[in-house]
Amino acid sequence: MKLQGLILALTTLGLHTCAFTPSLRPPVLSVVSLAATTTVEDESESVPKTAAVPQAAQRRILGSQENLMLPRQYSPGKDVFPQMNHVSVAVLSSTPSEEILRQAIDDAMASHPLLRCHIEGDGEPDERIDLFQMVRKGEPQPCTFCSSSTTEFTSKDVLSVVDVFGGDRVALDASWKTTFQKDIDDGSWCTVEKGPLWKLEWHRYQEDSNGIPCALVFSFNHAISDQSSANRLIDQIVGNMASIEADGSITKPGKKQDMPVSVEDSVLGLHQRWNDVLVKGISPGTIAYVAGKAAEGFKSPVILPDSENDGSSVMSSLSIISGNAAGGEDAGSEDRKSTLQFRTLSAATTSALLNKCRENQVSITNALTAATTLASTDFIDGGNQADDGKRRNYKVLQSLDLRRFGAQLDQGKTVGCLAGSMDLMHGPFPDYSGKALRENPPPEGFVQFWRLAQDGLDQTRAFVASEGPKHAMRVFDFAMTIADLNNLVYLTAQSKDTQGRAYSAGVTNNGVYERQEAFEREGESARAPLKTKHGRYNVDDIFFGVSHARSGCLYQLSCLTLGGEMKLTFHPAMPIVSEETNRQFADAFVELIEAVACN
């Protein structure tokens, strides 16, 4: 019992510190989340052996993050957890023939193992050794990626065609938005035991039309994808189409890749997983990191409108670990769904914002998190419009690309998920701080805004300098290895106290599309940058998002810059945030950014 008590205590503390993906982050979990790039692992828990396996068929055990997003199911309660969904749409200026599109997809599927995989193994432990059936011991049949040969899964298994009627861009946008709305929350199309773990809808007016746009809607089980991978996949498919039309074939096919390493291996290095090192992997820095994350709860950041309860108290954690939703079950938890707003920031405003960021020595991401925080203050009073100066703290989830940290074993050469995040703590701010700033800027201008952006930069630098990504990954891997965190996420999503919210807001900035490296092609000595134009095809729009309906942030923004324009997707969960409130939030955010950039 002493061992069980220690494990439960550590798990409780870990609930305040470990990292989850931006879309499935329980309210009591506070630190780094993982969502934006690639991953791999194998039968020996953490040592990739794909080099010894023929490329035609590869296998490896899922990493801890992948098990959360898949998700690994929880048999004792017979609960079936929904998968985490990642959706991205690319609008193209012209429409290919179906045959050319299928050839382009087939090449991409042959290149990337996770595009043609299914899952074997139930992930069940030998036994659960605590009173609440949460703590795991052993895992005889771990969930395992099984990649088929390059011909078993093809475009016929993933591509569907949606004919659009109306003949204008309005009708096309309405068509792909319908799919985006459904697929961001509903993963019922995916049977992981059968595969594949992704699909593609092609929305078109008519086939093989130059100058008539079409849309490609990619829907992924988030265990195999992040937006960096999606960008590269879009580029590969569109480049293939242009090559076929110009030369009659794909002159430089995609290079056949091995499975990506898991995020744990990429950040921590090989043989450094919890099962490899156990307590030897816990350093004074890890302990300090855990303590710092636990202390954040004392700031009581808001996670619900007109709420000062952060839902992350020790008592809430203990309630969840005991198998109960904190505050009882929310009867409407199963009915929550994403509400969507799409915006495009003009090239002129995007450029002006970049110049202002350079003047103030911060990044675009720092400006976006500052704007999101201040916009949140305008919508946190639950519609009371009291404007009574109530001051609140805000916890903002800032996404990170974990390819850049630790051992950096993953180089983004194939489709996978290596996304991450960290917490920013801001405040206290009076309600309606954003409105006051954009409508009545003080005489000194937007000094407050840039101070907030600088604070975000300082927190990010401190996190990286203290090896925060490694410590967060260590704690998360420990917690996921010894406990059924999938069930804990499920319980927090049902909680009346939190309604599945863990953060005041979240920002995922995927950066500049054209600055990312493309996937490798045969016959090329170096990876080329992504292009917005291949042949007659221009990539006009890319929007993306990951579901926050069950668990995640109160307000969520996902964006990237394409062709000099910033593409913004606002996708919080309703009815917590209504469609109208999300529309107003998106407008207020854009208005604030325009005021900051152009003042």
Side-chain angles (χ1 to χ4, degrees), residues 505-527:
V507 174
T508 299
N509 178 23
N510 193 241
V512 179
Y513 180 84
E514 296 93 321
R515 291 184 181 175
Q516 298 178 27
E517 288 185 323
F519 287 135
E520 292 180 304
R521 289 185 178 274
E522 298 290 350
E524 291 185 343
S525 58
R527 295 167 67 181

Side-chain angles (χ1 to χ4, degrees), residues 82-87 179-189 335-340 546-550 571-574:
Q83 75 172 36
M84 184 181 299
N85 301 315
H86 167 213
V87 179
T179 295
F180 198 115
Q181 176 72 74
K182 180 178 185 297
D183 285 0
I184 194 170
D185 298 323
D186 181 7
S188 60
W189 55 268
D335 298 325
R336 287 196 298 265
K337 64 178 182 178
S338 300
T339 176
L340 305 173
V546 177
S547 178
H548 285 245
R550 299 285 293 154
H571 50 104
M574 64 177 182

Side-chain angles (χ1 to χ4, degrees), residues 20-263:
F20 283 77
T21 76
S23 52
L24 192 55
R25 200 169 283 100
V28 289
L29 298 172
S30 45
V31 184
V32 168
S33 120
L34 311 170
T37 320
T38 34
T39 54
V40 112
E41 195 175 305
D42 89 329
E43 288 89 345
S44 64
E45 290 285 340
S46 64
V47 185
K49 294 182 179 178
T50 54
V53 180
Q55 194 278 334
Q58 302 179 41
R59 299 169 58 90
R60 74 159 173 84
I61 297 171
L62 273 68
S64 290
Q65 174 179 282
E66 293 161 333
N67 271 319
L68 184 72
M69 294 186 294
L70 184 69
R72 180 177 65 196
Q73 297 300 319
Y74 182 67
S75 292
K78 304 300 181 185
D79 293 316
V80 178
F81 309 138
Q83 75 172 36
M84 184 181 299
N85 301 315
H86 167 213
V87 179
S88 183
V89 60
V91 180
L92 308 182
S93 61
S94 294
T95 303
S97 70
E98 182 172 339
E99 176 58 29
I100 285 177
L101 177 58
R102 289 191 179 279
Q103 291 180 48
I105 296 170
D106 286 339
D107 172 74
M109 295 183 73
S111 303
H112 307 294
L114 292 185
L115 294 184
R116 53 179 198 278
C117 75
H118 66 281
I119 302 297
E120 293 181 0
D122 57 16
E124 277 296 288
D126 288 312
E127 59 178 323
R128 290 178 172 84
I129 60 176
D130 64 296
L131 295 176
F132 306 120
Q133 295 290 286
M134 292 281 191
V135 180
R136 302 166 58 87
K137 179 182 179 181
E139 192 175 35
Q141 297 181 1
C143 294
T144 303
F145 284 131
C146 300
S147 174
S148 69
S149 70
T150 57
T151 57
E152 184 172 338
F153 280 136
T154 65
S155 60
K156 64 180 173 56
D157 300 293
V158 298
L159 180 65
S160 59
V161 180
V162 178
D163 289 316
V164 179
F165 302 95
D168 57 19
R169 180 63 190 268
V170 173
L172 179 65
D173 287 348
S175 184
W176 67 253
K177 286 178 182 179
T178 299
T179 295
F180 198 115
Q181 176 72 74
K182 180 178 185 297
D183 285 0
I184 194 170
D185 298 323
D186 181 7
S188 60
W189 55 268
C190 179
T191 303
V192 298
E193 297 84 3
K194 179 182 177 182
L197 305 185
W198 73 294
K199 71 184 181 79
L200 174 59
E201 276 193 14
W202 179 33
H203 295 247
R204 68 178 189 187
Y205 293 120
Q206 58 189 53
E207 184 175 17
D208 198 11
S209 300
N210 190 32
I212 296 180
C214 69
L216 301 175
V217 184
F218 297 80
S219 302
F220 303 93
N221 181 308
H222 200 10
I224 70 163
S225 73
D226 54 45
Q227 190 55 34
S228 294
S229 293
N231 291 343
R232 294 177 174 115
L233 182 59
I234 291 166
D235 181 81
Q236 182 174 355
I237 289 174
V238 177
N240 286 349
M241 294 190 310
S243 179
I244 295 169
E245 291 182 352
D247 304 312
S249 65
I250 302 173
T251 56
K252 295 180 179 179
K255 187 174 181 180
K256 305 298 188 295
Q257 300 291 339
D258 291 330
M259 281 191 183
V261 294
S262 70
V263 66

Side-chain angles (χ1 to χ4, degrees), residues 558-587:
S558 298
C559 64
L560 58 75
T561 300
L562 174 76
E565 298 178 332
M566 193 172 294
K567 307 295 181 177
L568 311 170
T569 306
F570 300 86
H571 50 104
M574 64 177 182
I576 303 171
V577 176
S578 70
E579 290 187 57
E580 176 60 19
T581 299
N582 190 35
R583 184 191 65 76
Q584 293 176 5
F585 183 95
D587 290 342

